[in-house]
Amino acid sequence: MHYHFDFSFLAGNVGALLEGLKVTIELAMAANLMGLVLGFALCLLVMSRWAVVRAPAQLFVEFFRCTPALLQIVWFFYCIPMMVNVFIDPVLMGILALGLNLTAFNAEAYRAGVQAVPKEHLDACVALGLKPWQRTIFVILPQALRNAVPVLMTNGIGTLQQSALVAIVAVADLMYVAKSVATEAYRPIETYSVVALVYFALSLPVARLVHVIERRQDAAHQR
């Protein structure tokens, strides 16, 4: 095989690729914000003492964890507009689909973090007369968040990578633009190789930070 690599054609498509990258980052950041906030709320519902609250929350978690993210994205894009007869901006729909998927996974990460909170701390809250919402915000949430940070960050990386799936429903993210460029220039190897390096460059710093945090947590637990 004597393939001649030529990356020069990408020079004229830098602007389009950067616009696609902007959409990708918007999708990932908004979905992560949604997953962080709603994930903790969903965690509290899953851990509720009342079955009527707990059961629907558990069903939500299991549905999004046990079905393919691609199927969820396609369902949101094509089924919801047909059901409610309302057109929703494609980027907003992508954020919704990715954010709800991440919410389910983050809820499990938070749940593990909450279960790691020492019982003595909860007993101290009761002794001090703290109300349930005060216990949750000032005692449980900070510790659960600290315990869950590595998993939450790893889930965030996964959402960045899964954001490429919205290209299948014609959202003009980095992957969609790259597909168009590769098709027009007949240069898929060069195009997709560059895009892979972009995703790698975005994900690697966060992945390395996760390792640093995990090492520090392990060292703190060994003391």
Side-chain angles (χ1 to χ4, degrees):
M1 177 180 177
H2 300 286
Y3 185 83
H4 176 65
F5 288 90
D6 181 11
F7 292 89
S8 60
F9 74 96
L10 289 173
N13 295 286
V14 170
L17 291 171
L18 288 177
E19 284 298 315
L21 177 59
K22 178 183 175 182
V23 173
T24 292
I25 293 176
E26 288 176 353
L27 285 168
M29 292 185 65
N32 268 280
L33 180 60
M34 182 177 173
L36 287 172
V37 176
L38 296 185
F40 185 71
L42 183 60
C43 164
L44 298 179
L45 296 179
V46 169
M47 301 185 69
S48 172
R49 69 180 71 176
W50 296 294
V52 68
V53 175
R54 186 174 63 251
Q58 289 177 330
L59 180 61
F60 179 95
V61 170
E62 295 306 324
F63 173 80
F64 279 94
R65 292 181 65 206
C66 298
T67 55
L70 178 58
L71 176 61
Q72 296 166 19
I73 290 171
V74 171
W75 194 90
F76 270 88
F77 271 82
Y78 293 115
C79 298
I80 288 184
M82 293 175 64
M83 293 169 61
V84 300
N85 197 30
V86 174
F87 174 78
I88 302 176
D89 181 76
V91 175
L92 181 59
M93 190 68 82
I95 292 171
L96 182 63
L98 293 169
L100 291 178
N101 176 276
L102 182 60
T103 294
F105 284 89
N106 280 355
E108 288 298 287
Y110 278 122
R111 186 167 66 87
V114 170
Q115 291 175 340
V117 175
K119 186 176 181 299
E120 293 79 7
H121 293 190
L122 301 180
D123 293 339
C125 291
V126 175
L128 291 172
L130 296 182
K131 297 179 180 179
W133 68 268
Q134 292 176 316
R135 247 179 292 166
T136 300
I137 295 177
F138 299 115
V139 178
I140 297 177
L141 176 58
Q143 295 189 65
L145 182 60
R146 184 171 62 250
N147 295 331
V149 159
V151 180
L152 294 175
M153 294 178 68
T154 301
N155 290 347
I157 295 175
T159 297
L160 169 64
Q161 296 165 354
Q162 286 185 340
S163 68
L165 295 175
V166 301
I168 199 171
V169 289
V171 175
D173 73 324
L174 179 60
M175 191 65 186
Y176 182 83
V177 174
K179 180 182 178 182
S180 300
V181 170
T183 302
E184 293 173 3
Y186 298 102
R187 288 285 177 176
I189 296 179
E190 293 90 336
T191 305
Y192 291 131
S193 296
V194 169
V195 170
L197 289 175
V198 171
Y199 279 105
F200 178 76
L202 292 174
S203 302
L204 183 61
V206 182
R208 298 310 305 168
L209 182 59
V210 170
H211 287 305
V212 171
I213 294 174
E214 287 178 335
R215 285 199 299 268
R216 289 186 176 179
Q217 287 185 344
D218 291 341
H221 291 155
Q222 292 174 1
R223 292 175 184 172

